[in-house]
Amino acid sequence: MTLHDLTFEELEERLTGAGLPRFRADQIFRWTYAQLAEQYDEMTVLPKELRARLPELLPLTKLEPVRAVETDDGQTRKLLFRTFDGEHLETVLMLYADRTTVCVSCQVGCAVGCAFCATGMMGLTRNLTTGEMVSQVIEAAREARALGRTLTNIVMMGMGEPFQNYDAVLKMVRILHDPRGLNFGARRTTLSTSGLVPFIDRLAGEPFQVKLAVSLHAPNDALRDTLVPLNRRYPVGDLIDACRRYVRTTGRRITFEYALIKGVNDSDEIATELAALLKGFLCHVNVIPLNPTPAAPFERPSPERIERFAEVIRLHGIPATVRYSRGVDIAAACGQLRTEHEQTLSEQRT
Ligand code: SAH
Ligand code: SF4
């Protein structure tokens, strides 16, 4: 258990349990999340003896930076970390004109196994802890600060399926949202799911106003079964019903992500079918041109086909935009994250 695993209340409890005054929690939380201190030693507001004692009582960090790679003229940075048990994970920082976004991983690998996704090919090694997710955000916030930026958005679109690690992810939101610390607006946090229906309902009942993105990729079961294996358990009809309930309960718009794959899900007919499925919905479609991965036989459609697909959806009255992923050339794009470092190591070993 590290400091980054604790909510403010849990931190208070820990400290008072160790015989320390309650107000120390305010100080430590503020210095950790608002000041982004790297060491207790930087927290000059604390007495020296306490600073010396804290690393043992409550270790601060558990992610060791291994490598950082940048691309898009330095506007996209992939950070590779090693966990305490030797796993590797990736975080991506993206600088835009009007925002600074971090793409956070929630698992090492992923059990869902979507047909076109590099992470899915790895299978699941383990869930990340809340502390490991919070640490990714802190590291990205520090990197952003060094570049004269402030982090404005968090997207759970790195490695893993957030709803298969639901409690730890929601706890991360709670910690980062706390006004005594980072004070990160929940509305600027997006959870992206491949469609675990029960958790869509659960999220609708949470007090946090996070944004929800649903990775749809196909408007019918025959096609979606082949792309997202989870569809056999939660078919399109059930998924869309859950999304409608979510919009009704929360009044918040849903984003549907749609990885566009040449000759698979990119025809005008399918765009029309998709638009019909989403009719009367408070939603937005994000068309993501596929980032081909070596292990899968899929290709990206032509730029004309991509534009046309989005246009057909729009013609039917559904807002749609095309989003080209950042960092494709350093395998830092959506669904590209997989620990190449680990791969390289194991290739060296064999
Ligand atoms: N597991 C979650 C979040 C991580 S993936 C989910 O599936 O929603 C983030 C987004 O990238 C998802 O919409 C996913 O389907 C998409 N994606 C995965 N692999 C991709 C690829 N090769 N090209 C384009 N998008 C991809
Ligand atoms: Fe997992 Fe998302 Fe990749 Fe599917 S797209 S395998 S759910 S990370």
Side-chain angles (χ1 to χ4, degrees):
M1 188 65 79
T2 73
L3 176 64
H4 298 134
D5 286 292
L6 304 179
T7 61
F8 180 81
E9 289 73 22
E10 288 172 340
L11 174 64
E12 263 188 340
E13 225 170 84
R14 269 293 180 107
L15 295 174
T16 50
L20 292 161
R22 205 170 275 277
F23 68 87
R24 294 287 180 219
D26 278 296
Q27 296 172 326
I28 294 173
F29 212 73
R30 185 155 38 83
W31 276 77
T32 306
Y33 294 108
Q35 313 280 345
L36 303 175
E38 286 191 53
Q39 308 285 342
Y40 282 116
D41 253 348
E42 290 173 29
M43 303 185 187
T44 45
V45 66
L46 305 175
K48 230 175 162 169
E49 315 79 72
L50 180 58
R51 278 185 264 155
R53 194 180 150 201
L54 280 169
E56 198 165 330
L57 185 68
L58 265 182
L60 253 181
T61 303
K62 54 191 337 190
L63 289 185
E64 188 190 328
V66 176
R67 195 156 50 103
V69 196
E70 63 180 63
T71 188
D72 300 330
D73 266 345
Q75 302 302 292
T76 303
R77 288 151 193 268
K78 179 166 77 163
L79 312 172
L80 177 68
F81 298 106
R82 186 164 33 232
T83 61
F84 71 96
D85 58 347
E87 296 298 340
H88 289 88
L89 61 95
E90 294 171 341
T91 309
V92 185
L93 180 66
M94 291 165 284
L95 314 182
Y96 298 91
D98 59 345
R99 64 193 194 280
T100 304
T101 301
V102 60
C103 180
V104 174
S105 294
C106 64
Q107 298 180 311
V108 180
C110 179
V112 177
C114 298
F116 49 85
C117 172
T119 307
M121 317 252 157
M122 299 167 64
L124 176 68
T125 304
R126 74 165 169 86
N127 278 339
L128 294 181
T129 62
T130 295
E132 286 166 337
M133 290 183 266
V134 168
S135 294
Q136 290 176 64
V137 174
I138 301 272
E139 291 290 342
R142 278 192 199 122
E143 178 97 3
R145 185 177 60 180
L147 299 164
R149 297 284 199 122
T150 306
L151 212 55
T152 58
N153 295 76
I154 298 173
V155 295
M156 299 304 293
M157 293 185 186
M159 295 165 69
E161 167 51 55
F163 286 178
Q164 286 188 339
N165 192 12
Y166 186 87
D167 291 338
V169 168
L170 262 284
K171 191 172 181 192
M172 174 207 79
V173 173
R174 183 169 302 131
I175 292 170
L176 299 174
H177 181 57
D178 198 310
R180 292 162 288 201
L182 195 60
N183 195 17
F184 206 91
R187 281 166 191 274
R188 290 187 282 119
T189 303
T190 301
L191 305 189
S192 173
T193 182
S194 55
L196 281 90
V197 165
F199 290 96
I200 294 176
D201 287 318
R202 228 175 120 182
L203 187 68
E206 298 285 355
F208 305 108
Q209 309 233 314
V210 291
K211 284 193 186 157
L212 177 63
V214 173
S215 299
L216 192 55
H217 310 315
N220 61 60
D221 289 328
L223 184 53
R224 196 165 189 268
D225 277 352
T226 66
L227 298 175
V228 185
L230 196 73
N231 194 69
R232 285 179 218 122
R233 201 145 111 228
Y234 303 114
V236 172
D238 294 359
L239 177 57
I240 295 297
D241 284 349
C243 291
R244 287 192 192 277
R245 286 195 295 277
Y246 178 90
V247 171
R248 229 182 5 252
T249 311
T250 64
R252 296 198 295 272
R253 187 176 80 155
I254 288 187
T255 296
F256 288 102
E257 291 160 283
Y258 197 100
L260 202 64
I261 311 173
K262 185 176 175 178
V264 174
N265 64 356
D266 66 341
S267 68
D268 284 1
E269 292 69 41
I270 293 179
T272 305
E273 193 184 341
L274 179 65
L277 181 71
L278 302 181
K279 209 161 183 64
F281 216 112
L282 185 59
C283 74
H284 177 263
V285 177
N286 230 330
V287 176
I288 314 168
L290 183 85
N291 303 306
T293 50
F298 301 119
E299 290 170 39
R300 175 181 283 196
S302 68
E304 297 73 39
R305 180 93 299 272
I306 293 167
E307 283 312 319
R308 173 74 189 153
F309 188 86
E311 185 59 24
V312 171
I313 301 174
R314 282 194 293 265
L315 286 172
H316 285 90
I318 311 285
T321 45
V322 177
R323 191 192 72 204
Y324 282 89
S325 299
R326 287 280 195 95
V328 174
D329 52 335
I330 53 167
C334 289
Q336 293 255 299
L337 295 186
R338 64 180 292 179
T339 51
E340 288 185 341
H341 183 75
E342 221 165 42
Q343 253 186 315
T344 319
L345 283 182
S346 62
E347 275 159 20
Q348 281 167 356
R349 268 184 233 120
T350 52

